[in-house]
Amino acid sequence: MARFGIDATPLAGLVCVQLQKLEDARGFFSRFFCAEELAAAGFAEPVAQINHTLTRRRGSVRGLHFQHPPHAEDKLVSCLHGEIFDVAIDLRQGSPTFLRWHGEVLSAANARSLFIPKGFAHGFQALSDDTELLYLHSAPYVAAAEGALNARDPALSIAWPLAFADVSERDASHPFLSPDFTGLAA
């Protein structure tokens, strides 16, 4: 019995993962991760790091972050409490969807996760207060390899659903894309 539904997005490699809940009067059971089944979605490496975030205020934005090769990472993002608008931007050099973004609503209620492969930037906007996320990463964080895009960059034209409430000083200070940005090499 498959424990996950895998839904393609318009950006190659970026997929939505639908948890299959087995429910009864007591509540539900769902498999959160299965290396064998999620390899079909692209998450073929071992989990190297798990991060948990709490975003207190509706409208807050985190991101858009990525790791430069050779420290690039796959990640599986899931919302455990509340609701978010999760965004991934294709930064893969030579990709036919270079600099295109895709957004998905992830929530505790809809039990959807987003698998974000290497070569994508990632960020989200909280659609409810006290939103909690869990991230599974295929590689550990390396500060020297960190990269970021500005969530307000007009070149990206992200259709954020809400006015921005809170953005960290660090995220707000990321520069807009320069015209000579050619993407991330594989």
Side-chain angles (χ1 to χ4, degrees), residues 82-93:
E83 183 175 61
I84 65 165
F85 182 66
D86 205 36
V87 174
I89 300 99
D90 187 351
L91 301 180
R92 298 172 295 183
Q93 196 173 70

Side-chain angles (χ1 to χ4, degrees), residues 29-172:
F29 169 86
S30 68
R31 183 165 293 157
F32 192 79
F33 183 83
C34 175
E36 182 179 345
E37 287 188 53
L38 289 175
F43 204 119
E45 297 181 34
V47 174
Q49 186 170 301
I50 301 173
N51 296 322
H52 180 211
T53 66
L54 168 67
T55 303
R56 295 242 182 248
R57 190 168 168 212
R58 180 179 185 264
S60 296
V61 173
R62 292 183 185 256
L64 305 157
H65 305 135
F66 61 92
Q67 292 277 290
H68 287 278
H71 303 287
E73 60 192 358
D74 294 327
K75 60 176 93 165
L76 184 68
V77 179
S78 303
C79 185
L80 302 178
H81 184 265
E83 183 175 61
I84 65 165
F85 182 66
D86 205 36
V87 174
I89 300 99
D90 187 351
L91 301 180
R92 298 172 295 183
Q93 196 173 70
S95 170
T97 56
F98 178 63
L99 293 184
R100 284 191 38 206
W101 63 273
H102 180 78
E104 288 283 334
V105 173
L106 306 181
S107 69
N110 73 14
R112 289 178 70 80
S113 299
L114 194 62
F115 170 72
I116 304 164
K118 294 172 183 69
F120 280 74
H122 170 255
F124 71 90
Q125 183 174 49
L127 301 178
S128 59
D129 291 337
D130 297 322
T131 301
E132 289 187 69
L133 302 183
L134 195 67
Y135 300 72
L136 281 63
H137 298 260
S138 66
Y141 172 76
V142 176
E146 182 180 59
L149 305 176
N150 191 305
R152 289 187 167 111
D153 193 331
L156 299 173
S157 299
I158 298 171
W160 297 104
L162 304 173
F164 282 24
D166 295 321
V167 178
S168 73
E169 187 176 315
R170 183 182 77 144
D171 284 348

